[in-house]
């Protein structure tokens, strides 16, 4: 993983779960679930092909009409399109722990390692059932930090979700 991912510590003790500066009372948790976000690589390829064809068509017209000086511009645009495609194809799936309290669901932690989120979900479920458990600490090593942007692709996509902290997802 790149430098965009870092560790987040989740602490469960004394009837509360603390994720960064957010605290959840275990007795008020009514639902524990998970979410998975995956880049739609098929849509990324379709966008790339359409944009590359448009670049080649309009670039060919510009090169033919204005001379070979525009060849470099066409190549730069194609390179940028390839770079963007590779960036989308390399996006890992992102897994989120969802906590429901009083009818409101909040994404408490997002990370790229599914096993970490699975383990946290299972242990948190046990902690909600038995509030007298000893303190537990979870280190989510590949968590998405504050102010990360999660790009959503696909037919059901609503655009971008900006992560403003360890518990708030704001949809734009």
């Amino acid at each position: 993983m790149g430098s965009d991912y870092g560790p987040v510590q989740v602490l469960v003790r004394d009837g509360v779960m603390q994720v960064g500066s957010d605290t959840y009372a275990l007795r008020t948790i009514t639902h524990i679930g998970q979410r998975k976000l995956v880049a739609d690589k098929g849509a990324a390829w379709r966008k790339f092909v359409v944009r590359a064809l448009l670049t080649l068509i309009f670039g060919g017209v510009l090169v033919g009409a204005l001379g070979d000086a525009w060849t470099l511009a066409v190549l730069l645009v194609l390179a940028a399109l390839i770079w963007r495609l590779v960036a989308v194809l390399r996006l890992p799936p992102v897994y989120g722990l969802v906590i429901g309290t009083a009818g409101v669901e909040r994404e408490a932690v997002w990370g790229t390692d599914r096993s970490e989120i699975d383990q946290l979900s299972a242990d948190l479920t046990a902690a909600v059932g038995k509030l007298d458990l000893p303190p537990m600490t979870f280190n989510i090593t590949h968590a998405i930090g504050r102010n990360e942007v999660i790009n959503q692709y696909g037919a059901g996509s609503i655009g971008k979700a900006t992560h403003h902290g360890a518990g708030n997802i704001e949809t734009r």
Side-chain angles (χ1 to χ4, degrees):
M1 296 299 121
S3 62
D4 296 331
Y5 307 99
V8 167
Q9 191 172 70
V10 179
L11 181 62
V12 178
R13 68 169 180 202
D14 301 327
V16 298
M17 177 181 81
Q18 186 171 0
V19 182
S21 62
D22 295 335
T23 303
Y24 303 91
L26 293 179
R27 68 179 168 272
T28 65
I29 293 177
T30 59
H31 172 261
I32 298 171
Q34 295 181 29
R35 300 286 186 268
K36 179 180 178 181
L37 297 177
V38 180
D40 184 349
K41 295 175 180 167
W45 274 106
R46 286 187 294 277
K47 284 181 182 180
F48 169 75
V49 169
V50 168
R51 291 173 180 171
L53 286 174
L54 288 173
T55 300
L56 290 172
I57 291 169
F58 289 117
V61 170
L62 285 174
V63 169
L66 302 174
D68 290 336
W70 285 92
T71 303
L72 180 61
V74 171
L75 291 175
L76 289 174
V77 170
L78 288 173
L81 291 175
I82 291 170
W83 177 78
R84 180 106 169 109
L85 173 66
V86 169
V88 171
L89 294 179
R90 293 185 66 196
L91 286 174
V94 179
Y95 305 94
L97 176 71
V98 178
I99 305 294
T101 58
V104 178
E105 287 189 351
R106 297 180 57 136
E107 289 83 0
V109 180
W110 286 98
T112 58
D113 187 346
R114 182 178 191 157
S115 63
E116 290 178 339
I117 301 299
D118 286 342
Q119 186 64 46
L120 176 59
S121 177
D123 289 347
L124 184 58
T125 301
V128 168
K130 294 182 178 182
L131 298 178
D132 59 346
L133 288 175
M136 297 182 285
T137 301
F138 303 93
N139 293 306
I140 308 298
T141 57
H142 295 102
I144 295 179
R146 296 183 181 274
N147 299 320
E148 286 293 322
V149 175
I150 300 170
N151 293 309
Q152 297 175 324
Y153 303 94
S157 174
I158 55 171
K160 292 182 178 178
T162 303
H163 190 260
H164 292 288
N168 299 319
I169 295 293
E170 173 183 289
T171 305
R172 292 194 232 172

